[in-house]
């Protein structure tokens, strides 16, 4: 029986050492130590031994069991470590690999041009102010010297939400609000969305954008207006751009002018961009009407000012040679991705 035990022990040791997977070590555990295992079977044969031999043999078998048990545990541990190591090696992350590109959005061309405009005017000392898109008749028209029966209302027909509530037709309303809350000297621009009941075509949209400017202080004259607008035109279109002032009419300015710049595309010879005129109209402006100053509690005997209104959409379409204003509002990615 002793020999049998030694035999079992030898083969067990050899096969444990040779085991190469966690599964095969588990099979060996069952084979030697399980309920029907070889060592267990040996214990069951003890009955055939003499009473003196029994405890000795029992001890030997138990020692052998413990030995096999320890060997199996060690080997199992070793195999497990190896497996983990292998797994880690297989799953290594190569941090030098180029990352997946994140798709970055872009600014809408209107915003790009607006940001440029804000930079230009801020460098001349203007603040940026905001106002509501839903305005009262009072701020959009009355305070701007356009009473209810004024014919100029026809040019700026809009969308009414209630008797006295409308979508603003010009950001000039925000200038009135500014004059009510700030004391001169005032130097602000008001960029924003405006609305008019216009038919949609390549150059008209019921929604468009303005940047209006306002300066109020003592001793402000038309010269200041010319200086600021010329500077602006040179920065936007280049320093050899010529600027032309034509007399015009706005109810809220007196005198009023319309401002053209020489076409940056053809230099004034006439082309498709300027429709052969050589000039592009970019804004309306003028000296703030005394009635407007008065309606905001500013004494026109002491203070004077100028205002101007620039169409952001026109500026953007001419800069990027966009043939149809509707493209700016359709949000077609194929169009927007080009900028
Ligand atoms: N608010 C005028 C418009 O929308 C533009 C303008 C602003 C003209 C300021 C003069 C002075 O047509």
């Amino acid at each position: 029986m002793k020999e049998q035990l030694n035999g079992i022990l030898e083969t067990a040791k050899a096969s444990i050492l040779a085991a190469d997977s966690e599964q095969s070590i588990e099979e060996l555990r069952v084979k030697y130590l399980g309920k029907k295992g070889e060592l267990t079977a040996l214990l069951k044969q003890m009955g055939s031994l003499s009473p003196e031999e029994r405890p000795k043999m029992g001890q030997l078998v138990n020692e052998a069991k413990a030995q096999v048990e320890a060997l199996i545990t060690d080997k199992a541990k070793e195999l497990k470590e190896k497996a983990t190591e292998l797994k880690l090696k297989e799953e290594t992350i190569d941090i030098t690999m180029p990352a997946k590109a994140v798709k970055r959005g872009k600014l809408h061309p209107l915003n790009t041009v607006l940001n440029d405009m804000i930079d230009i005017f801020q460098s001349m000392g203007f603040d940026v102010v905001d106002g509501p898109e839903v305005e009262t008749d009072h701020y959009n028209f009355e305070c701007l010297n356009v009473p209810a029966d004024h014919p100029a209302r026809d040019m700026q027909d809009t969308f009414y939400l209630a008797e006295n509530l409308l979508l603003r037709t010009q950001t000039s309303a925000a200038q009135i609000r500014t004059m009510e809350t700030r004391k001169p000297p005032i130097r602000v621009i008001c960029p924003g969305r405006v609305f008019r009941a216009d038919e949609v075509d390549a150059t008209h949209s019921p929604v468009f954008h303005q940047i209006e400017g306002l300066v109020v202080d003592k001793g402000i004259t038309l010269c200041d207006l010319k200086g600021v607008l010329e500077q602006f035109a040179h920065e936007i279109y280049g320093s050899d751009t010529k600027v032309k002032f034509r007399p015009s009419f706005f109810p809220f300015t007196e005198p009023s002018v319309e401002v053209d710049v020489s076409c940056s595309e053809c230099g004034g010879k006439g082309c498709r961009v300027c429709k052969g005129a050589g000039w592009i109209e970019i804004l309306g402006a003028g000296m703030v009407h005394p009635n407007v100053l008065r309606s905001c509690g500013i004494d026109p005997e002491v203070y004077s000012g100028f205002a101007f209104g620039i169409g952001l959409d026109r500026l953007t379409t001419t800069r990027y040679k966009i043939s149809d204003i509707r493209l700016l509002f359709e949000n077609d990615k194929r169009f927007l991705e080009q900028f």
Side-chain angles (χ1 to χ4, degrees):
M1 208 170 158
K2 213 170 166 185
E3 273 160 33
Q4 204 184 344
L5 177 63
N6 282 337
I8 294 175
L9 205 53
E10 285 313 306
T11 43
K13 275 184 189 168
S15 42
I16 291 171
L17 282 179
D20 60 357
S21 73
E22 286 181 85
Q23 196 196 336
S24 56
I25 203 82
E26 200 44 47
E27 280 163 8
L28 289 174
R29 188 193 296 279
V30 175
K31 181 166 183 217
Y32 293 104
L33 306 171
K35 263 192 205 151
K36 291 176 187 160
E38 293 182 23
L39 286 171
T40 320
L42 218 51
L43 276 176
K44 283 180 191 154
Q45 292 171 30
M46 300 280 275
S48 62
L49 296 176
S50 66
E52 303 89 71
E53 278 176 321
R54 232 177 269 162
K56 274 193 208 152
M57 199 58 213
Q59 198 187 351
L60 283 179
V61 175
N62 279 332
E63 275 172 15
K65 268 184 93 171
Q67 217 178 334
V68 171
E69 178 108 48
L71 281 173
I72 285 182
T73 313
D74 284 355
K75 188 72 187 179
K77 200 173 151 208
E78 184 194 317
L79 285 172
K80 198 175 172 140
E81 276 167 9
K82 258 194 196 149
T84 316
E85 214 172 279
L86 196 74
K87 205 168 168 202
L88 282 178
K89 224 183 219 167
E90 278 172 358
E91 290 177 1
T92 323
I93 300 168
D94 181 359
I95 56 163
T96 64
M97 236 161 81
K100 275 193 193 149
V102 177
K103 273 203 178 165
R104 288 184 68 176
K106 296 182 189 175
L107 282 182
H108 191 284
L110 281 172
N111 284 92
T112 307
V113 177
L114 174 60
N115 287 348
D116 289 354
M117 304 270 282
I118 289 176
D119 278 351
I120 292 171
F121 283 107
Q122 274 181 337
S123 76
M124 289 194 262
F126 286 74
D127 282 347
V128 179
V129 298
D130 203 6
E133 288 175 4
V134 173
E135 262 298 0
T136 59
D137 188 90
H138 175 77
Y139 282 112
N140 196 80
F141 290 126
E142 290 283 338
C143 288
L144 285 157
N145 206 26
V146 188
D149 55 359
H150 199 290
R153 287 217 179 190
D154 283 352
M155 290 191 313
Q156 298 196 2
D157 192 17
T158 183
F159 305 94
Y160 284 82
L161 305 173
E163 172 92 8
N164 282 314
L165 214 54
L166 46 87
L167 296 183
R168 67 177 177 190
T169 60
Q170 44 194 350
T171 55
S172 320
Q175 305 185 345
I176 300 294
R177 289 176 180 274
T178 307
M179 283 192 277
E180 281 181 351
T181 51
R182 293 195 191 183
K183 296 253 156 310
I186 293 172
R187 229 182 301 170
V188 292
I189 53 167
C190 326
R193 198 177 290 149
V194 297
F195 307 84
R196 290 186 198 175
D198 278 340
E199 288 288 341
V200 181
D201 64 26
T203 53
H204 292 86
S205 160
V207 188
F208 57 103
H209 301 80
Q210 282 188 331
I211 300 163
E212 296 212 355
L214 172 75
V215 171
V216 180
D217 200 356
K218 287 177 182 161
I220 297 292
T221 70
L222 199 69
C223 282
D224 300 302
L225 171 65
K226 273 193 88 172
V228 166
L229 292 181
E230 261 171 14
Q231 174 68 20
F232 156 73
H234 288 166
E235 297 218 28
I236 276 273
Y237 292 107
S239 53
D240 48 0
T241 305
K242 289 196 273 306
V243 183
K244 182 163 83 174
F245 288 73
R246 285 182 286 115
S248 184
F249 171 80
F250 297 104
F252 30 82
T253 48
E254 184 61 37
S256 302
V257 292
E258 223 132 335
V259 179
D260 301 343
V261 291
S262 53
C263 178
S264 53
E265 187 61 21
C266 62
K269 285 191 224 85
C271 68
R272 216 167 53 93
V273 175
C274 58
K275 299 198 181 83
W279 296 92
I280 296 174
E281 183 191 320
I282 55 161
L283 59 90
M287 300 305 293
V288 182
H289 198 291
N291 285 352
V292 176
L293 291 176
R294 223 173 272 125
S295 74
C296 301
I298 294 173
D299 185 352
E301 300 295 330
V302 181
Y303 293 100
S304 55
F306 65 78
F308 55 89
I310 304 169
L312 179 60
D313 313 82
R314 169 75 72 85
L315 221 54
T316 307
T317 51
T318 49
R319 163 160 346 161
Y320 293 113
K321 302 193 183 70
I322 297 167
S323 55
D324 194 321
I325 191 177
R326 284 170 287 199
L327 289 164
L328 294 176
F329 303 108
E330 282 169 355
N331 278 338
D332 187 333
K333 266 176 73 189
R334 291 167 303 176
F335 167 74
L336 293 173
E337 274 166 358
Q338 300 173 51
F339 302 98

